[in-house]
């Protein structure tokens, strides 16, 4: 299978670029805690455990394919989707370097993705992406994803910001040398960045939205899925949402 052509990756969206598409349009790497291949391999193994099989996989928000290429040996056919042209260019390079001939790439966002799919999947996943969608957009995403999911398929959202733990992480309370002074310093830095971002019309928080798992669970139930959530192994302030058909 050949990687999606560059012409398709250069396709222009019909809708105006939103704030997150504009922010990521020139980025080339995902927000992993470490960028070493050793760490990426460990992170991928954790995610493959929760994906738990299947033969076909759709990775929405695949970025530069840092995890997707580790998924490739476990699946017959994979499709990576991202709304950042620069990310997909890096993904194309990485896929060729790793000789992952079973991966296709598509340039699309959470709305246009569904017009570009030609078959259904056993697993539909997104890692570190859902926090850039509102609950309304997540609702629509799950509704559309269910139409492209095989009977025994799963939707798995990885690394969602936990609103109960994320504020503590921002204060540095999970750091080895946590303390009051360090927490106050982080508050000041966060405030200064927020003011600067507002003046420059950039996102005030580049990590996106935190989503309560129970609200996400209600959305999943609404669309005929049962959902369980588990703590992320490598990001103490994030969780994974695993959805299976009821």
């Amino acid at each position: 299978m050949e990687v999606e052509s560059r012409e398709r990756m250069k396709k222009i969206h019909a809708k105006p670029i939103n704030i997150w598409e504009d922010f990521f349009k020139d980025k080339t790497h995902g927000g992993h805690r470490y960028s070493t291949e050793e760490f990426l391999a460990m992170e991928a193994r954790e995610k493959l455990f929760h994906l738990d099989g299947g033969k076909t996989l759709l990775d929405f928000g695949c970025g530069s394919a840092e995890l997707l290429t580790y998924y490739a040996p476990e699946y017959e056919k994979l499709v990576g989707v991202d709304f950042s042209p620069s990310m997909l260019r890096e993904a194309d390079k990485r896929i060729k370097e790793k000789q992952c001939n079973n991966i296709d790439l598509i340039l699309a966002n959470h709305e246009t993705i569904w017009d570009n799919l030609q078959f259904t999947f056993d697993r539909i996943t997104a890692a570190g992406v859902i926090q850039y969608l509102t609950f309304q957009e997540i609702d629509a995403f799950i509704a559309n994803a269910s139409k492209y999911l095989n009977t025994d398929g799963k939707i798995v959202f990885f690394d969602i910001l936990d609103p109960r733990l994320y504020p503590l992480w921002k204060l540095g309370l999970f750091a080895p040398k946590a303390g009051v002074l360090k927490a106050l310093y982080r508050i000041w830095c966060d405030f200064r960045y927020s003011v600067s971002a507002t003046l420059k019309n950039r996102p005030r928080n580049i990590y996106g939205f935190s989503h309560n798992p129970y609200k996400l669970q209600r959305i999943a139930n609404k669309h005929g899925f049962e959902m369980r959530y588990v703590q992320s192994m490598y990001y103490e302030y994030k969780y994974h949402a695993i959805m299976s058909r009821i």
Side-chain angles (χ1 to χ4, degrees):
M1 185 190 309
E2 295 184 358
V3 176
E4 194 77 5
S5 69
R6 291 185 180 276
E7 289 302 315
R8 186 165 189 173
M9 293 200 299
K10 293 178 181 177
K11 187 182 75 172
I12 299 175
H13 296 313
K15 287 189 64 178
I17 295 177
N18 65 30
I19 190 170
W20 292 115
E21 290 184 59
D22 186 54
F23 179 76
F24 283 106
K25 67 182 179 182
D26 57 355
K27 300 296 185 293
T28 56
H29 296 286
H32 301 281
R33 174 158 282 177
Y34 304 107
S35 58
T36 65
E37 290 298 327
E38 181 182 9
F39 178 78
L40 293 174
M42 291 192 301
E43 186 176 335
R45 282 197 293 272
E46 180 212 7
K47 289 172 167 56
L48 283 167
F49 173 80
H50 293 301
L51 287 169
D52 189 27
K55 295 182 178 180
T56 54
L57 179 141
L58 170 67
D59 184 5
F60 175 67
C62 67
S64 54
E66 291 164 306
L67 294 177
L68 189 59
T69 50
Y70 282 105
Y71 297 161
E74 307 299 324
Y75 289 88
E76 294 178 4
K77 198 169 187 178
L78 306 93
V79 174
V81 180
D82 206 284
F83 56 55
S84 170
S86 58
M87 285 285 202
L88 286 187
R89 283 193 292 271
E90 291 300 313
D92 193 24
K93 293 177 188 176
R94 182 176 175 86
I95 288 167
K96 288 175 179 176
E97 289 172 0
K98 300 291 184 179
Q99 299 182 350
C100 299
N101 299 319
N102 56 341
I103 300 176
D104 280 342
L105 296 176
I106 296 176
L107 176 67
N109 61 25
H110 61 284
E111 294 179 328
T112 59
I113 175 179
W114 315 110
D115 298 326
N116 292 279
L117 302 179
Q118 299 177 350
F119 55 90
T120 56
F121 300 87
D122 295 325
R123 300 290 184 269
I124 295 178
T125 186
V129 174
I130 296 306
Q131 54 262 43
Y132 299 113
L133 303 181
T134 64
F135 277 119
Q136 291 77 15
E137 290 170 332
I138 293 173
D139 188 309
F141 185 94
I142 294 174
N144 285 315
S146 67
K147 300 172 186 176
Y148 288 87
L149 192 66
N150 292 330
T151 304
D152 296 324
K154 293 181 180 179
I155 299 174
V156 185
F157 295 152
F158 290 117
D159 299 326
I160 306 167
L161 295 179
D162 191 327
R164 301 161 300 180
L165 298 174
Y166 178 53
L168 302 180
W169 176 80
K170 287 189 72 177
L171 289 175
L173 298 185
F174 293 123
K177 296 181 180 180
V180 175
L181 291 179
K182 191 168 186 177
L184 291 173
Y185 176 73
R186 286 210 174 200
I187 291 172
W188 162 245
C189 290
D190 188 54
F191 173 75
R192 187 174 60 180
Y193 180 86
S194 296
V195 172
S196 174
T198 300
L199 293 174
K200 295 178 181 179
N201 195 31
R202 292 168 60 87
R204 291 199 298 173
N205 180 6
I206 62 172
Y207 291 98
F209 308 104
S210 59
H211 292 314
N212 187 296
Y214 299 111
K215 188 166 183 178
L216 200 59
Q217 189 175 49
R218 287 196 294 271
I219 295 173
N221 294 161
K222 169 185 169 184
H223 294 290
F225 292 91
E226 61 179 6
M227 188 195 106
R228 61 185 178 90
Y229 74 93
V230 296
Q231 199 68 28
S232 172
M233 182 181 293
Y234 296 107
Y235 303 91
E236 58 274 10
Y237 55 100
K238 297 181 179 182
Y239 68 92
H240 309 320
I242 303 165
M243 306 177 197
S244 305
R245 294 189 191 275
I246 297 175

